[in-house]
Amino acid sequence: VASPADLGSPVAGRGRPEDHGRGLRGLAPEPEAAAWAVGALAAAGGAGAWPEPMAPRRYRVRARRRELADTVTLLLDPVDEPIGAYLPGQFNMLYAFAVGEAAISVSGRATADGALPHTIRAVGATSRALCAARPGEMVGVRGPFGTSWGVGDGAGGDVVVVAGGLGLAPLRPAIHQLLAERERYGRISLLVGARSPETLLFRHELESWRGHFDLHVEATVDAAGAGWHGHVGLVTGLLEHAPFDPASTLALACGPEVMMRFTAQALVDRGVPADAVRVSLERNMKCAIAFCGHCQLGPTFVCRDGPVFPWSRVERLVGIREA
Amino acid sequence: VTTRATLVASGFFAGFPPGDLERLDACAAEVELEADRHLFRQGEPADRFFVVREGLVAVELPVPGRGVLIVDTVGEGDAVGISWLFEPARWQFDARASRPTRLVALDAGCLRAALDADPELGHRFTRRFAAVVQHRLQSARLRLLDLYGPAAGEDGGGVPG
């Protein structure tokens, strides 16, 4: 494993652009024609050429946008050979040099020149350091790892996307894919739960999606002030009025595990087959290559066999109490 | 006075036999509220039971220093009002239309009398009503966990991104 010293330090002299907030170059919505997966640079031969799977590649923070009080989106430019093409739902290991690595999902389409968006919540030392990274600073990236949402499996049927809290970030590339290929799918529902109206992630984008005439978008929060005119309650409550034919529906759910468990059960109760319900699990990913065993869940390694699993495969496993 | 068709369409009563609906029809009326108008307020006599036909009702409470907090919303087909069934039959929360809302309102005294007079109807109604209460209880319990709240712990164990 390369040491932080080998990989360089934050670039001095390059200047530290301020946080520009929304509309920042590169974080604005990409043109419709842009691929939702990174593609371009990886197709040029980048993927797989890196000799050491545990060695991160250097990426520089191009832009940083604060999403919520504890959550930022970093847009990362490759400095070394870029990582391979990713699919919606896959994750990268982001390395805050001299602090540590954390598994972070790619949270949107790559830009045409290969910059990757990652949305990070500050929960521990590493993610706090990543959230604090400023434009011009360097981070390490390994990936992409794990399974994808398999959005294309929903073609010809309805799709229900259920996001709780920060769970919208790993689902965002899947939503971009659905919108880019809108004609392939039947009815599409996006149901979002959050703690409060103030903590709805990507709120402006949610409002924009809600304006689509062919997209059913609803949000609910745990509690709200009187100024909120939306729903208050569990995200599963939104399923009752979502338009979908259970027998031919692909459902994607991401959020706190308890929320996913109740969501998956509600979907199955409505008649969605358990293998058409997909959830993205979080475990203690360390190596991300199914070697160290930290993320083992029964007979599976979440980093390799997940993070996206059909509910039929993990329903029993997530029900096992951990010591 | 509303019609049986309205009651059937109200969701909560879906599947009730025609005889039940006929009996309940005598207790029912339709109510329309503009957005931000109150259906009832905390402390007032709980003299009606409501089912939302269209719109959204916010169940809320004024909290000193924090303004009015919405604890639940009730949408199409769902029931508003639990306190009417139990003594002292006073509303514990405010209920306000979040948007233009139409409801079916059943007079509490008339409804209680109908449920007492016909044990089969009473049983059907109570089972349906208990399901609503169970759903609200589960929702409140899960939200007590504050699952979306600040994550305590380490990277990798929680949801850093």
Side-chain angles (χ1 to χ4, degrees):
Chain A
V1 176
S3 72
D6 296 328
L7 293 164
S9 57
V11 178
R14 184 186 163 93
R16 289 190 173 187
E18 295 295 313
D19 263 356
H20 297 298
R22 260 165 231 296
L24 205 60
R25 186 175 74 87
L27 286 180
E30 294 83 10
E32 283 303 312
W36 45 265
V38 62
L41 292 171
W50 203 249
E52 169 55 67
M54 290 300 289
R57 305 180 195 199
R58 291 177 300 169
Y59 275 69
R60 197 187 314 279
V61 179
R62 178 195 292 185
R64 174 181 183 271
R65 180 170 67 202
R66 180 161 295 285
E67 306 285 1
L68 304 172
D70 58 358
T71 303
V72 302
T73 294
L74 298 182
L75 187 65
L76 303 176
D77 277 324
V79 174
D80 297 318
E81 201 172 355
I83 63 167
Y86 69 89
L87 294 167
Q90 288 189 300
F91 69 94
N92 290 321
M93 296 301 293
L94 297 197
Y95 186 4
F97 294 128
V99 182
E101 275 191 317
I104 309 290
S105 298
V106 184
S107 61
R109 285 174 294 190
T111 61
D113 58 350
L116 299 171
H118 291 80
T119 301
I120 308 156
R121 184 181 196 186
V123 296
T126 300
S127 56
R128 270 198 303 274
L130 288 168
C131 283
R134 296 284 163 174
E137 292 184 359
M138 207 84 81
V139 299
V141 178
R142 293 190 296 121
F145 297 114
T147 54
S148 75
W149 290 111
V151 173
D153 295 345
D158 298 332
V159 181
V160 178
V161 178
V162 188
L166 199 62
L168 185 55
L171 283 165
R172 189 163 167 254
I175 297 163
H176 288 159
Q177 182 181 350
L178 287 164
L179 294 176
E181 306 170 340
R182 183 66 190 84
E183 69 286 353
R184 296 184 67 202
Y185 306 93
R187 292 165 293 187
I188 298 176
S189 297
L190 170 60
L191 312 175
V192 178
R195 192 185 197 205
S196 65
E198 296 75 29
T199 57
L200 273 168
L201 191 63
F202 307 136
R203 181 157 178 179
H204 289 275
E205 200 168 16
L206 276 177
E207 287 168 355
S208 150
W209 288 332
R210 196 164 179 175
H212 288 231
F213 67 89
D214 55 357
L215 202 56
H216 175 84
V217 180
E218 291 287 355
T220 187
V221 298
D222 283 350
W228 171 250
H229 293 280
H231 297 269
V232 174
L234 297 180
V235 73
T236 46
L238 300 179
L239 283 170
E240 291 167 20
H241 298 293
F244 62 92
D245 173 11
S248 60
T249 287
L250 175 69
L252 315 175
C254 189
E257 193 163 302
V258 172
M259 165 255 160
M260 286 194 287
R261 217 164 62 210
F262 277 84
T263 299
Q265 193 55 57
L267 286 159
V268 170
D269 289 346
R270 279 280 297 272
V272 181
D275 56 3
V277 177
R278 294 178 185 166
V279 296
S280 181
L281 295 186
E282 286 282 343
R283 284 296 184 274
N284 189 13
M285 267 91 100
K286 291 292 186 192
C287 73
I289 52 174
F291 185 74
C292 74
H294 281 89
C295 66
Q296 187 175 357
L297 178 66
T300 70
F301 288 105
V302 174
C303 69
R304 178 193 62 194
D305 307 316
V308 179
F309 290 95
W311 181 242
S312 52
R313 188 167 177 201
V314 293
E315 179 180 7
R316 190 185 61 79
L317 295 176
V318 299
I320 297 171
R321 286 170 190 242
E322 295 179 358
Chain B
V1 174
T2 185
T3 65
R4 266 172 283 164
T6 304
L7 272 181
V8 172
S10 68
F12 178 89
F13 295 104
F16 275 47
D20 285 359
L21 297 175
E22 203 165 325
R23 194 180 284 268
L24 295 170
D25 195 42
C27 305
E30 292 192 73
V31 174
E32 288 194 30
L33 282 179
E34 293 171 15
D36 281 331
R37 297 297 296 270
H38 278 81
L39 195 55
F40 53 76
R41 291 178 188 269
Q42 179 193 15
E44 292 175 351
D47 55 3
R48 287 182 295 174
F49 167 65
F50 301 92
V51 179
V52 179
R53 295 197 59 205
E54 192 183 326
L56 193 69
V57 172
V59 180
E60 59 193 23
L61 207 58
V63 178
R66 297 175 64 190
V68 173
L69 298 184
I70 306 172
V71 296
D72 235 329
T73 51
V74 182
E76 200 176 308
D78 211 349
V80 183
I82 295 171
S83 303
W84 64 273
L85 192 53
F86 305 100
E87 294 296 335
R90 292 199 175 275
W91 298 121
Q92 304 297 309
F93 292 86
D94 295 352
R96 176 181 55 85
S98 284
R99 45 185 89 153
T101 299
R102 292 197 303 144
L103 309 101
V104 175
L106 291 104
D107 178 84
C110 176
L111 181 54
R112 283 193 297 262
L115 302 181
D116 289 342
D118 182 344
E120 284 191 28
L121 166 60
H123 180 67
R124 264 190 291 279
F125 184 94
T126 305
R127 277 182 65 89
R128 191 67 59 91
F129 194 78
V132 171
V133 174
Q134 186 256 357
H135 187 261
R136 302 264 162 87
L137 179 61
Q138 186 182 78
S139 170
R141 283 174 167 171
L142 282 171
R143 284 184 283 152
L144 268 178
L145 296 178
D146 196 14
L147 294 171
Y148 304 132
E154 304 287 322
D155 294 317
V159 189

